Amino acid sequence: MYSSIAAIPLWYWVAAIGILVVLLWLTVLMQGAGLRKTQKRYRQWVGRSGTDVEKLLPQTLERIQQLSEEVRRLEARIDYLEKSLRATLRTARVVRYNAFSDFGSDLSFSAAWLDGSGNGVILSSIYGRDESRIYAKPVQNGTSTYPLSEEEKRVLAEAIQFSGASDSPVSSALRPLEERS
């Protein structure tokens, strides 16, 4: 076996070792380039100050904890504001009409103010030549326990339709976050 190895000319050995050296040299160059790229990313992440990653990691985790607590506080605040907003009178509609056909114009009116749950009030003013009267009727869940005139029914229907319009940007902004997604 040694005789067959010894029979190989020396220049073959030199060429094989030269090719091996060139391949190793290329491998070292590629590893160096990869290391420089990694060092550059590390410097960008840590910053120019050279902060130790072991010190940076606890600071980052503490900041993440602070931000999580702040998000929880903001979510609680949003829930409170959404509940408060549902209870505010936010839909107003007015219908004007002529209460008496023998004189005047559309000086009488009915107005409805509702919150997000359909609760509120209908206010009607009947204008007459000698006197005017104002009536207030409570509304619970979109209905009133008092009898409604045609104009009051119409203004209530308009207010309910407006407050429940799903394509309205206002009503979609007022829905809870879970329903929006």
Side-chain angles (χ1 to χ4, degrees):
M1 174 152 181
Y2 290 115
S3 63
S4 64
I5 293 177
I8 299 174
L10 184 62
W11 68 274
Y12 278 138
W13 286 107
V14 172
I17 291 173
I19 290 172
L20 203 68
V21 167
V22 169
L23 289 175
L24 288 174
W25 183 69
L26 288 174
T27 304
V28 168
L29 286 178
M30 289 189 319
Q31 290 296 323
L35 181 61
R36 280 190 296 281
K37 186 186 283 187
T38 303
Q39 286 174 335
K40 182 179 177 183
R41 278 190 272 156
Y42 175 78
R43 274 188 248 113
Q44 287 174 343
W45 187 62
V46 173
R48 299 276 181 217
S49 65
T51 305
D52 189 11
V53 174
E54 290 178 7
K55 293 178 184 175
L56 187 64
L57 189 58
Q59 292 170 356
T60 304
L61 292 175
E62 182 181 336
R63 183 66 179 140
I64 288 171
Q65 182 65 32
Q66 290 171 350
L67 291 173
S68 295
E69 291 171 10
E70 182 66 19
V71 165
R72 279 192 286 279
R73 281 193 299 273
L74 290 173
E75 285 174 342
R77 179 78 176 147
I78 288 171
D79 288 342
Y80 169 77
L81 291 173
E82 284 178 343
K83 288 175 186 172
S84 297
L85 191 58
R86 279 188 219 113
T88 60
L89 298 177
R90 64 176 191 226
T91 302
R93 286 289 180 251
V94 176
V95 172
R96 293 179 59 105
Y97 54 93
N98 186 358
F100 305 104
S101 59
D102 58 340
F103 69 92
S105 60
D106 294 343
L107 298 176
S108 298
F109 68 88
S110 291
W113 288 276
L114 300 178
D115 66 7
S117 301
N119 301 324
V121 65
I122 296 175
L123 191 65
S124 293
S125 172
I126 308 297
Y127 176 78
R129 194 178 303 216
D130 297 329
E131 64 182 316
S132 292
R133 296 182 184 230
I134 297 176
Y135 302 95
K137 298 178 183 178
V139 177
Q140 284 293 115
N141 297 321
T143 60
S144 178
T145 56
Y146 293 87
L148 300 177
S149 68
E150 289 303 314
E151 293 82 9
E152 290 169 332
K153 289 178 185 175
R154 190 169 100 210
V155 77
L156 180 59
E158 286 180 15
I160 290 171
Q161 181 182 5
F162 180 79
S163 67
S166 60
D167 56 347
S168 166
V170 173
S171 64
S172 67
L174 299 177
R175 286 190 319 234
L177 293 173
E178 304 83 47
E179 293 177 10
R180 288 186 228 160
S181 33

